[in-house]
Amino acid sequence: MQNWKKGFMFVVVMVLAFSLIVGCGSGNQTQGGTTTDNNQPADNAQTTIEGSITAVGSSALQPLVEKAAQDFMAKNPKAKIQVQGGGSGTGLSQVAQGGADIGNSDIFAEEKSGIPADQLVDHKVAVVGMAAVANPDVGVDNLTTQQLVDIFTGKITNWKEVGGKDQAITLVNRPASSGTRATFKKYALGGVEEAKGIEEDSSGTVRKIIAETPGAIGYLAFSYLDGSVKPLKLDGVEPTKENVVTNDYKVWAYEHMYTKGEPQGLAKAFLEYILSDEVQKGAVVDGGYIPVTDMKVERDAQGNVTQK
Amino acid sequence: MEDKVQGIDLTKKRGSIVFFDKLGFSLTFISAIILIITTASIYIFVASKGFATFFVNGVNIIDFLTGTEWNPLRTAEEGGPLYGTFPFIFGSFAVTFMAALISAPLGIGAAVFMTEIAPSWGQKILQPVIELLVGIPSVVYGFIGLTLVVPFIRNYVGGLGFGLLAGTIVLAVMILPTITSISVDTLRAVPREMKEGSYALGATRWQTIYRILFRASIPGFITAVVFGMARAFGEALAVQMVLGNAPLIPKDLVSPASTITSIITINMGHTVSGSAENNVLWSLALLLLAMSALFIFVIRMIAKRRRFTS
């Protein structure tokens, strides 16, 4: 019995020691990484910025935040920023519950039920335009809003009804809860209920399906347009950055980074960095987003647009 | 016990031997406890989230299981959200059973070939093939399905290509190795005396396979197929890519459908933890968990029967 107890104690000690080693190991790694970075000349006065934060949410915004975080950490070796995807819903709920320091979202917190929007501070870091896109062979390059609504509600089921080929229309939607779908529904379709069609979670898959399926129509963020699918003009307005900044093309959304209360320390510095010209004119444009500083209009959570 | 073996004084060593004996016991015992706690926690967690739909959000469980309308975001002015999950339940069962229907004869046939018809070279070729099939990640199956199977169905069968048929084909390939390898083990477990007795009575090889080996292996084959079905039922990624995920009951084999898993995976990240839309997804997860428990129960029931008394 005495021996059994001894053995048990030994195991407990071993487990504790092991977890300690693992913990220290990862800590050492970070330190090792920062040491090398320290050797680079700091071209920035903000060398005192340190700490560790997490940014979680929107997979549409994730590549931009990741790029910005990398550059930021290279400049501030003592700062550690973890970026994770997971969707706008996850981002908003995580930041509201304190699970993440920054919650990335494609939609206003006010638009998502169950989020205490009044506790969250909104930082709009970029704008993303969305285009209705079709398979290149449908023979249509412009739709009126009414035609688009009729297509997405299932009233029009053949491309010939809107001046295209004699071909059945296939709808490719994002899932019901998706932020992109909510934006498209609100600003392109005027909030009508869509007919049920194919639903795909990732924009990459949506693009592949539209490119390969005859008669397919869906919608994609501008950053996903690559020539394999045809962006459609809406009421004669081309889906371009120039038309978005003036709100002539209305289907766009802000990319939000929410914090719970006013951001402090590292989170504040990082958000300032993302809004700086360096990122806005660099990573934002490179990633296919529109710099929030370029916008000539402003839009609130209710969809009211005001000139800046 | 002798205290001296080959001149070594065991009494000195005994202390450390006992110690390592106890250490081994403690380690395995703790592993077992952690495993039990983990499993129990998963069930408790999923159940607490899953039941919230019915007890907190007040969704009627009958409507939830039998309703055919899925519209979790419909506003209160339009009549409130609708959480009918029957189309997904239907889709999950449809692809699972159809995949098993294709894979069971193929897998069992391959197993008979490997063990009885051409044990030497058949095994040399088939064994690595099966192992390779197991090693392919499901996203690769999904991508192959999306790139090859879906366009093929669209061009030569009809419809959009996305649908039950594409899902069935992808799943059938995925569960084939499971069914084959378990069937091989089953056939190998049949006592040699039974086979030799059959040949001694003058039975042909086919008669022996059909009358003796098959009969003796039926419970094992059922286990193999149920294992395959359990895998098919829980598979998410590959199916999601080729199924189309339309929240509808499909009219035919080539129209888009959805499964429980595909609805959970495409919606989970967009919903807010704790909201009704999120809880409904957990209820679906609970349903999956219950189904997998059922599959395991069935397998255990069959395994009980499967004893060769000699």
Side-chain angles (χ1 to χ4, degrees), chain B residues 46 50 53 64 70 85 88-89 259-261 263-264 279-289:
Chain B
V46 175
T53 309
F64 174 79
W70 172 257
T85 60
F88 321 143
I89 298 169
T259 61
I260 297 172
T261 49
I263 291 299
I264 295 176
N279 286 342
V280 158
L281 299 178
W282 283 103
S283 305
L284 284 174
L286 182 64
L287 194 63
L288 272 181
L289 207 59

Side-chain angles (χ1 to χ4, degrees), chain B residues 7-308:
Chain B
I8 302 165
D9 188 2
L10 278 181
T11 40
K12 283 183 186 167
K13 288 229 160 190
R14 186 158 293 154
S16 72
I17 288 170
V18 167
F19 173 74
F20 280 110
D21 201 31
K22 298 302 178 200
L23 175 67
F25 174 80
S26 313
L27 278 177
T28 47
F29 182 73
I30 290 171
S31 308
I33 293 290
I34 290 174
L35 192 69
I36 292 168
I37 292 173
T38 312
T39 312
S41 320
I42 291 172
Y43 271 81
I44 292 167
F45 180 73
V46 175
S48 69
K49 286 268 209 177
F51 280 121
T53 309
F54 313 114
F55 297 124
V56 179
N57 306 110
V59 176
N60 185 324
I61 191 160
I62 304 293
D63 293 345
F64 174 79
L65 290 173
T66 60
T68 55
E69 272 292 314
W70 172 257
N71 199 343
L73 292 181
R74 199 169 72 158
T75 54
E77 299 97 71
E78 291 167 305
L82 286 166
Y83 299 114
T85 60
F86 185 72
F88 321 143
I89 298 169
F90 176 85
S92 277
F93 277 99
V95 289
T96 302
F97 279 107
M98 290 196 303
L101 222 55
I102 295 175
S103 273
L106 283 176
I108 294 169
V112 170
F113 183 80
M114 272 170 78
T115 52
E116 302 302 322
I117 313 286
S120 57
W121 68 269
Q123 176 147 9
K124 246 180 228 154
I125 297 170
L126 275 170
Q127 193 72 39
V129 167
I130 292 167
E131 279 158 15
L132 280 174
L133 280 179
V134 175
I136 298 174
S138 65
V139 64
V140 174
Y141 280 108
F143 205 70
I144 292 172
L146 188 59
T147 317
L148 295 176
V149 179
V150 168
F152 182 86
I153 293 173
R154 183 167 59 229
N155 294 334
Y156 298 102
V157 184
L160 297 172
F162 294 95
L164 290 180
L165 188 58
T168 302
I169 291 170
V170 167
L171 277 181
V173 178
M174 288 185 74
I175 65 174
L176 194 56
T178 311
I179 294 180
T180 310
S181 54
I182 299 175
S183 299
V184 166
D185 293 345
T186 308
L187 286 166
R188 290 224 178 99
V190 176
R192 252 183 67 201
E193 297 82 28
M194 286 172 92
K195 213 160 79 183
E196 281 167 2
S198 169
Y199 285 131
L201 286 169
T204 63
R205 181 157 75 171
W206 172 245
Q207 284 170 328
T208 306
I209 290 172
Y210 184 67
R211 299 269 170 94
I212 305 297
L213 290 172
F214 251 66
R215 294 288 152 86
S217 301
I218 280 176
F221 289 155
I222 297 172
T223 309
V225 174
V226 175
F227 255 116
M229 283 167 70
R231 167 140 203 234
F233 201 80
E235 171 52 39
L237 205 53
V239 172
Q240 182 203 314
M241 290 170 85
V242 298
L243 208 56
N245 309 313
L248 293 166
I249 295 176
K251 298 186 295 289
D252 48 42
L253 286 180
V254 291
S255 41
S258 46
T259 61
I260 297 172
T261 49
S262 73
I263 291 299
I264 295 176
T265 48
I266 67 172
N267 283 297
M268 202 48 123
H270 301 293
T271 56
V272 175
S273 171
S275 65
E277 308 127 62
N278 187 266
N279 286 342
V280 158
L281 299 178
W282 283 103
S283 305
L284 284 174
L286 182 64
L287 194 63
L288 272 181
L289 207 59
M291 279 307 299
S292 81
L294 184 71
F295 280 124
I296 292 163
F297 180 73
V298 169
I299 289 165
R300 291 196 70 96
M301 288 305 288
I302 296 163
K304 253 189 201 165
R305 273 183 54 199
R306 194 189 153 200
R307 294 261 153 72
F308 299 114

Side-chain angles (χ1 to χ4, degrees), chain A residues 1 19 27 53 59 65 93 118 149 157 187 193 204 207 237 270 291:
Chain A
M1 195 57 209
S19 47
I53 56 167
S59 41
V65 180
S93 56
D118 51 325
V149 168
T157 55
Y187 296 108
E193 191 61 50
R207 182 173 64 195
V237 183
F270 182 52

